[in-house]
Amino acid sequence: MGSEVVEKSGGKASFDVGAAAELVEGLRGAFAAGRTRSYHWRQSQLQGLLKMTEEHEQEIADSLRADLSKPEFESFIYEAAMLKNSCRLALKELKRWMVPEKAKTSVTTFPSSAEILSEPLGVVLIISAWNYPYYLSLDPVVGAIAAGNAVVLKPSEVAPATSSLLAKLVGEYLDATCVRVVEGAVPETSALLEQKWDKIFYTGNGRVGRIIMAAAAKHLTPVVLELGGKSPAVVDSDTDLKVSCRRIIVGKWGCNNGQACVSPDYIITTKDYAPKLVDAFKHELEKFYGKNPLGSKDLSRIVNSNHFSRLSKLLDDDKVSGKVVHGGQRDESELRIEPTILLDVPRDSLIMEEEIFGPLLPILTVTKIEESFDIINSGTKPLAAYLFTNDKKLKEKFVTCVMAGGMVVNDTTVHLAVPTVPFGGVGESGMGAYHGKFSFDAFSHKKAVVYRSFMGDAALRYPPYTSLKLRLMRALITGRLFTILGAIFGLSSD
């Protein structure tokens, strides 16, 4: 399907508030005409997304390499394959998701039936992130299309190669009257945020999340905010040390070199166990990335010079610069920082005040592992929390006492690959959730529908109101059989 791509401000045409309004008006017209509501349209668009990803897998990997030096393995597993799985699941389950859900009715509306109808919200805006620029752009689009919405996708300008590829491919494979891509930076995003949307879905950081929310408030637009935070990994001494380290390494450095919202941000372990943990990390990191990790092709680079400077500032802080026990080497010209471990970092240091979003991993130590719960809960609620232990009681206490968007016990990040559970934050790590059926629900309005016939019209609900009618209505509302029977017999004179 052909499409006209909306060009960025640096191109041949500018995208301002007027252009944004015209774009939204066109999409509203298509939605109002019912174009997106049918099962056939939703199915064809999901098939288009799947086909697009299958046929251009190498181009996707190439764009991710250009933007982030992302290893092809990570590009395939965490971007292309996960997007294809989302499409396949939606295609398999779509008919079932679209079927109205039967609901029970009460005696007060007898005889009646009821259902919950999932209907599309309308025209939605999806603003994506740069760290997984293909998957995080299109995975919400899967849910929006499955729910029957018209969509505008705004990819991140920080990943320009992938943004350009998305604009090109979406234009070729999807229905341009209902699904559009707008490239650009702050001016284009601002122009889009001036418009009235039926939902805004944003993936990124809390600072921009607040801007999104403020813009949405002007139109009372609901939002889903997929943000981040300082996701902890608690490591107990009662664990498989080698496996624990390997899984933390993959979740930290094997996920875009720490530039992932669910990467472990810091570790908490006991003072006694910390030396063993550090030694295990050193051993496994050398096995994975060699003696010169700055030259490893299996590690992504830092996305740009601004983020490189930000991470360098965290590392050069006087409170932590002497705490490096492994790594710490940097190559500014190549925007590379090797996996770095810091031990006994002060809790009031700069690196512990903000989400790291990079290859630095501080370790905090406690006397007893249970003290970690208070440390985690004293900060903002993280997007994810991880625990490594074989202690059943510790697992139960962790799950019960620690507040986080999601949790994994004895691994990291894998909850993203389970489509039957919601993925989202809590508090400052975000609001709303998606993945699988939860993506469909995120872009749907659950409309209550009650059906009644003209039979069984009860006089007691109409004036004139009497004490006997009131007594019977009270009995019906309680739903207690003996109360109802007593009230009915008491109405013999009416």
Side-chain angles (χ1 to χ4, degrees), residues 11-40:
K12 297 177 182 177
S14 63
F15 185 82
D16 55 15
V17 172
E22 185 178 348
L23 172 64
V24 174
E25 183 181 0
L27 292 171
R28 288 207 181 279
F31 178 78
R35 187 172 179 86
T36 66
R37 288 180 175 267
S38 71
Y39 170 78
H40 173 73

Side-chain angles (χ1 to χ4, degrees), residues 285-293 296:
L285 282 168
E286 185 172 326
K287 284 175 62 176
F288 290 174
Y289 303 116
K291 293 182 181 295
N292 179 30
S296 174

Side-chain angles (χ1 to χ4, degrees), residues 210 270 330 458:
R210 289 174 172 83
T270 61
R330 288 165 271 178

